[in-house]
Amino acid sequence: MAEPQGARAVVNAQQAAEWDGPAGAHRTRYAAVFDAEARPHNERFRAATGVTQRDRVLDIGCGTGQSTRDAARAATAGSALGIDLSAQMLEHARRISREEGLTNIGFEQADAQVHRFPADGFDVAISKFGSMFFDDPVAAFGNVRHALRPGGRLVLMVWQARALNAWSTTIREAIAGDAELPPPTATGPNPFSLGDPAVAGGILAAAGFTEVTFTDVGEPVYYGPDAAVALDVVSGVRSTRDLLAGMDTGQAEEAVARLRATLAAHQTGDGVLFDARTWIIAARRS
């Protein structure tokens, strides 16, 4: 599949540098763990996307390409294009796609908020945990709407509120211990920015989408086969790095020890698991 050409533009250079730098490198290194992280959620998401044989699919914030490959396998007479800010993750996605023999798939480094998509060029737009970080979500989803044909579908998987996701709250509490940490970001680009249905629904309506629905999914997330791998995975996530960076050496060592103990306490026969809740959001281009 030929990949669209065009000048690459980004809205938030700092965020782009993070995803094309430390975050991208970490997620590429642990791609197998992150692919397995939300497997039960992904199974529900894959069914909800409803990709059919001739669909042209756009995957927003595709990362290492798991959801793009799933779409390409379903769209046997169609195509799947994944876009992401991280060149490292995209290179991994291309390599795995070649190894799997997928020929109807492509990947492009781009910012979905401003990228010049072909008008009416896709039947379905999907995003699994890749749509919560836009500087201007109304503009971003408006741009995605422009890329969809009239009546085209949008299917997203996003985290529900932080308080409902133990993978965030429990890990943060372990790192904090008895210390007071800065409050987590509640506005702007963050993993939970679309967790409130009223907020997410309002954004999509303002961007020109209709028939917006929310499906509740409650399944555990996986951070590795054992606590040692989970510690490596969690320690490289930006929220953890940022919290530890605000501590002195002794405090950071104690925080890591608490984190290690918490991860060990969540180890099961199926690996290190934490409770999690997501929304599957579906909508149509008006």
Side-chain angles (χ1 to χ4, degrees), residues 130-172:
S131 62
M132 302 93 71
F133 303 99
F134 296 123
D135 271 29
D136 185 340
V138 173
F141 285 113
N143 195 39
V144 172
R145 178 189 176 277
H146 171 78
L148 286 169
R149 65 166 173 79
R153 297 184 300 113
L154 174 71
V155 186
L156 312 174
M157 174 161 271
V158 304
W159 300 111
Q160 292 190 29
R162 183 187 300 272
L164 300 176
N165 283 282
W167 61 266
S168 177
T169 57
T170 304
I171 288 172
R172 182 179 173 84

Side-chain angles (χ1 to χ4, degrees), residues 176-187:
D178 295 329
E180 261 193 56
L181 294 179
T185 301
T187 59

